[in-house]
Amino acid sequence: MIFDIEVKVSLKEGMLNPEATTIERSLALLGYDVKDAKTVDIIKFQMEGEDREAIREDVVDMCERLLCNPVIHNYKITVIPQNSACGA
């Protein structure tokens, strides 16, 4: 079975986010009253396997080892079997 994987990586609360600060300031210059902007990186890929939980465990390992820095990042994993209307 093929699974669609989505990993959303964001900075933990209290971490400096210069990209979000730049977006917030730029929007203010355009006349928009925007507060507390945040940025999120989305990583999408596919994996093949039979067990959703085993796939999820592999993706957690990927996140901890390469895709993010657990000291400064939070991440959220979504695992969806292809041809499925339900999310994980």
Side-chain angles (χ1 to χ4, degrees):
M1 175 180 289
I2 303 290
F3 292 89
D4 290 320
I5 313 298
E6 181 178 275
V7 180
K8 292 182 180 179
V9 181
S10 60
L11 287 170
K12 288 187 175 183
E13 196 66 37
M15 298 303 300
L16 294 178
N17 188 339
E19 184 178 20
T21 301
T22 300
I23 290 168
E24 200 171 287
R25 288 179 182 164
S26 297
L27 289 172
L29 290 173
L30 293 172
Y32 297 102
D33 186 22
V34 175
K35 303 287 185 232
D36 199 28
K38 294 184 180 13
T39 58
V40 177
D41 292 326
I42 299 175
I43 304 164
K44 293 184 176 187
F45 53 93
Q46 294 179 338
M47 291 181 71
E48 189 169 345
E50 294 302 318
D51 180 6
R52 178 187 278 193
E53 287 309 310
I55 295 286
R56 180 178 291 281
E57 288 175 18
D58 284 346
V59 176
V60 167
D61 189 50
M62 291 176 200
C63 288
E64 298 287 328
R65 295 178 69 193
L66 177 71
L67 299 178
C68 69
N69 179 344
V71 174
I72 63 170
H73 292 123
N74 291 317
Y75 59 88
K76 180 181 179 200
I77 298 168
T78 304
V79 179
I80 303 172
Q82 279 193 350
N83 301 321
S84 172
C86 300

